[in-house]
Amino acid sequence: MHKSVQTALESLGVEPPLTGFAIGDQFQAGKGDLFAVHSPVDGSLLVELPATDAKQLDEAIAAASEAFFKWRVVPAPVRGDFVRLFGQCLREHKEALATLVTWEAGKIFQEALGEVQEMIDICDFAVGLSRQLYGKTIASERPGHRLTEQWHPLGPMGVISAFNFPVAVWAWNAAIAWVCGDPVVWKPSEKTPLTAIACQKLFAKTFANASDVPPAISNVVVGGADIGQLLASSPALPLISATGSVPMGRAVAKTVAARLGRSLLELGGNNAMIVASSADLDLAVRSITFSAVGTCGQRCTTLRRLIVHESIADKLRDRLLEVFDNLPIGGPHEAGTLVGPLIDQRAGQSMAETLVTAKEQGGIVHGGERVEDGVPAGGIYVRPALVEIDAQAPILQQETFAPILYLSRYHTLDRAISIHNDVPQGLSSAILTSDVREAELFCSAAGSDCGIVNVNIGTSGAEIGDAFGGEKETGGGRESGSDAWKRYMRRATNTVNFSGELPLAQGIRFDI
């Protein structure tokens, strides 16, 4: 294990022997099979962990269920105060946790810092939310009656997170769930369990300085897809929030639906940007580059498809090729690096196979080759690819989790919007234009069919205040800001009769 990883773990309170199964502040060794965790930076072994077994998973769910009965009656502002303390703990350990994210997920350090900042920001948001879980008063048709809607804690929930945002997505769920009164059982990606262990240690540290908090409001289980499916199948968890691929989401949704539970799904993106003839090309190059190559193309909001007006397509292509050819590619822990590694060998193979398919479908491929000079040995480093291709090519219907940007041309805006929407996914979208009519059309019901619609910014980089999520095969889930908190609660409609009579709704007479 690298010295910087050891130093970060020590700073975060993670000490050997490392264990990935935790109920509240109590850590135990898993009883399942060992699995290895390698750093995408250089392929080195970070740790071998025993997976959580089915019995231990049941123990974690039972503990979360018991904690729910205590946590649900703690006043929401008091729950919010615990989240405030947790956010402060994150502030104190921001750099150490970001270092761990860099080495375990492969993000450049600036992006890793940004991810931890997202955790801090959602804690701040949740603290305010804890005093704003508003219901409503409804006008009753019956005299002497009060009709209201009230929101109550839902119950313990399961969170299944992906490797590319190993801590932020959990925090989006956990911070909101906690202020809503829900304990959390977290199954991180088997590729990034160390960051989950570190977060649980920070929870334990916060718990030690708090009161009125049952320890099992936060729990961690580790392992592969089998543990995720067992988590999803538990009837004790009324809500499962799952982030990952479309096939994973289908499997989770089917399992949860079979028991009539709730799913909150954040799945594939296949995001597109329209670049109009009036677009600011300097702004376009900057926004396209970050959206397309940030996290080495491994964000759910990564820009995959670029739909450019034919009058500027060649000029924009040439400028992007110049930038792509000169991007600093290397170890994500090194200052100045803008593109780090792919997560593993499988991701590199998938990218290579996709580019072969794109060529077979008429694409002209620029870049996309492996980079081996000036980068850490053992990591999978690649040059981002720009592929000129017809908008009808079948390859554009699928999302490859790698820095591949497809460039297609359009003549009319109606055609561009049609191309934009003609994929099964619907997460993030953007248009670059100086024409307010084009911008408003793109934001309208006749425009983008995605959950996130941007004008003159890229597809990547949503803020905490947004209700983050998408439509179609993206799953329809919403996390983080706005009124996403309602997914973590149950609604009760209350009718109070304070009259001395018993009038029935709809004027029904039922005399006895």
Side-chain angles (χ1 to χ4, degrees), residues 45-170:
L45 179 67
L46 290 175
V47 69
E48 285 187 320
L49 288 175
T52 304
D53 71 3
K55 183 178 179 181
Q56 289 177 312
L57 175 61
D58 288 343
E59 291 172 1
I61 293 172
S65 298
E66 183 178 349
F68 172 64
F69 292 111
K70 299 176 182 178
W71 192 232
R72 67 180 180 177
V73 295
V74 173
V78 177
R79 300 193 296 251
D81 193 57
F82 172 76
V83 175
R84 179 187 65 81
L85 293 173
F86 183 67
Q88 183 58 38
C89 189
L90 289 171
R91 283 182 170 88
E92 294 167 0
H93 296 84
K94 179 177 178 179
E95 290 202 5
L97 186 54
T99 297
L100 201 56
V101 169
T102 289
W103 280 95
E104 193 174 42
K107 285 189 172 182
I108 64 172
F109 190 57
Q110 277 298 310
E111 288 191 75
L113 286 170
E115 179 167 356
V116 181
Q117 187 62 48
E118 282 194 55
M119 302 175 76
I120 296 167
D121 291 346
I122 194 62
C123 287
D124 288 350
F125 180 91
V127 173
L129 177 65
S130 69
R131 294 181 181 271
Q132 300 179 74
L133 302 174
Y134 298 139
K136 63 174 64 172
T137 300
I138 304 166
S140 175
E141 66 187 61
R142 290 169 285 184
H145 284 61
R146 179 171 58 84
L147 186 61
T148 60
E149 285 184 353
Q150 198 172 3
W151 293 90
H152 298 299
L154 177 63
M157 65 168 294
V159 175
I160 301 171
S161 60
F163 77 87
N164 60 332
F165 277 84
V167 292
V169 170
W170 167 75

Side-chain angles (χ1 to χ4, degrees), residues 162 164 242-250 264-272 297-305 396-401 423-429 449-452 468-478:
N164 60 332
T243 301
S245 68
V246 172
M248 182 279 291
R250 289 189 194 279
L264 196 168
L265 302 175
E266 298 292 352
L267 310 176
N270 201 7
N271 314 291
Q298 297 170 114
R299 290 185 175 218
C300 53
T301 54
T302 291
L303 178 60
R304 311 288 180 195
R305 300 176 295 127
L396 271 66
Q397 296 294 308
Q398 69 184 54
E399 179 183 35
T400 302
F401 230 50
V423 294
Q425 309 86 357
L427 178 54
S428 187
S429 61
D449 63 358
C450 294
I452 299 172
F468 182 89
E471 301 300 325
K472 301 188 290 187
E473 285 190 357
T474 302
R478 292 296 186 275

